[in-house]
Amino acid sequence: AHMNALENASGSDECIVNTAGGAIFWFTIMTTIGYGNTAPITPGGRLLVYFMGFVSILAFTAVMGHAGYILLVIVDDFFYRTNLKKLTEGFLAVLFWLCMLILWILVLAGISVLYTRDRYGDGHDNDLAENFWWAFISVTTVGFGDVYIPHDVFRAGDMFYVPLILLLGFVMLANFLYKLSDFILGIYRRNFASHTNDEGLGSILYQNRKNASTDEEVEVGNSNDGKVTFPISLDNNNNSVEDNNHIKGDERDDNDVQPGIEMVVPVQTQDVSYENENIGNL
């Protein structure tokens, strides 16, 4: 019947536009699920997917990244406030988000069972294992196409909850993968980072996080306008002398020292220059 409908479709007024089916079709493009039960065959349809589909995928990735981060911050903050800090890092954090992912896939499978029963009745094959398989391939965006959301029974009102529960599944998956990667990176840091000069992705990510945790501006003594001041002392001839092991210059009698003079040194990456020409050679 399906192939016969495709072969006999004429595109005349007798055909109706399935808006709800088109909406869920575009949702599978945007989320990269791509069940494969529907695909454009005309040049115009494929051009639409080339350009607007690509833009939709980028927008979806950005939105899901922010959504996952917000949920992760909320959950971790809750764990900190309830003295469950161990669930925010390490293996326990990975296990927690894995359990959340599996539980949510089970929720999706249950909703799919009810959805199928509502659309096709009790006589339709409605196995829980089959629905769990659909939920798994949907959340992981594998979308083999053996089980999919049929467009002929999909209604416009379904767009208000079916995409939402799938999006929550994507967030669970994203947070699980983030905690897993952070856990693996922690093992790498503890066992290999100090014993190798590897400049791979893991090493680069670790170095970037380490640099982000420190201040970008180096402060020694008093810092003004990006310059570092070192407290030193000068004698009566403006020659530098040792003052509390800060900077060593010509050895002078401590009685001839004039305390309170500062040397201003601009912060540079390699060579250090001195603005005060009367400092002398250090």
Side-chain angles (χ1 to χ4, degrees), residues 222 229-235 241-244 246 256-264 276 279:
N222 299 321
T229 61
F230 295 87
I232 67 170
S233 297
L234 303 178
D235 61 12
V241 298
E242 182 178 359
D243 180 18
N244 296 329
H246 287 297
D256 297 330
V257 170
Q258 296 177 355
I261 307 299
E262 292 182 336
M263 178 184 72
V264 180
N276 192 336
I279 293 300

Side-chain angles (χ1 to χ4, degrees), residues 20-261:
I24 194 62
F25 164 70
W26 196 261
F27 178 80
T28 60
I29 294 177
M30 180 178 65
T31 58
T32 70
I33 295 176
Y35 291 119
N37 61 311
T38 305
I41 59 175
T42 62
R46 291 178 176 177
L47 282 175
L48 181 65
V49 174
Y50 281 143
F51 295 102
M52 295 305 298
F54 183 72
V55 172
S56 298
I57 292 172
L58 294 179
F60 166 76
T61 304
V63 171
M64 291 310 301
H66 285 287
Y69 175 77
I70 291 173
L71 180 61
L72 192 62
V73 169
I74 293 175
V75 173
D76 282 356
D77 181 69
F78 172 77
F79 286 151
Y80 273 102
R81 294 176 182 272
T82 55
N83 296 323
L84 296 173
K85 184 179 179 181
K86 291 183 178 180
L87 293 178
T88 63
E89 57 187 5
F91 177 74
L92 289 180
V94 176
L95 184 62
F96 169 78
W97 284 106
L98 176 60
C99 292
M100 292 296 297
L101 175 62
I102 295 175
L103 287 174
W104 194 250
I105 292 177
L106 284 172
V107 171
L108 282 174
I111 295 175
S112 179
V113 169
L114 298 176
Y115 181 89
T116 305
R117 183 179 301 168
D118 177 70
R119 294 296 188 270
Y120 295 101
D122 295 332
H124 191 270
D125 185 16
N126 198 16
D127 184 35
L128 179 61
E130 191 78 0
N131 287 278
F132 184 87
W133 173 247
W134 167 82
F136 176 79
I137 64 175
S138 298
V139 169
T140 57
T141 70
V142 175
F144 287 118
D146 54 340
V147 185
Y148 53 86
I149 301 175
H151 294 177
D152 57 337
V153 298
F154 192 81
R155 302 170 184 170
D158 297 336
M159 284 299 299
F160 290 96
Y161 70 93
V162 173
L164 178 61
I165 59 179
L166 286 173
L167 291 175
L168 288 175
F170 299 148
V171 170
M172 300 296 179
L173 176 64
N175 288 344
F176 163 69
L177 294 177
Y178 171 78
K179 290 296 186 180
L180 179 63
S181 63
D182 191 62
F183 174 65
I184 295 174
L185 189 59
I187 296 176
Y188 172 80
R189 289 199 304 262
R190 291 192 299 269
N191 295 279
F192 303 105
S194 60
H195 304 289
T196 181
N197 292 324
D198 179 29
E199 293 296 333
L201 179 61
S203 179
I204 294 173
L205 290 175
Y206 167 62
Q207 190 61 38
N208 289 340
R209 291 181 60 188
K210 182 178 179 181
N211 293 338
S213 64
T214 59
D215 295 331
E216 294 181 358
E217 181 180 1
V218 180
E219 297 184 359
V220 180
N222 299 321
S223 177
N224 297 308
D225 299 329
K227 298 177 181 179
V228 179
T229 61
F230 295 87
I232 67 170
S233 297
L234 303 178
D235 61 12
N236 291 330
N237 295 323
N238 286 335
N239 293 318
S240 62
V241 298
E242 182 178 359
D243 180 18
N244 296 329
N245 295 323
H246 287 297
I247 295 181
K248 294 182 179 180
D250 299 335
E251 294 184 357
R252 300 290 181 178
D253 188 355
D254 291 342
N255 295 327
D256 297 330
V257 170
Q258 296 177 355
I261 307 299

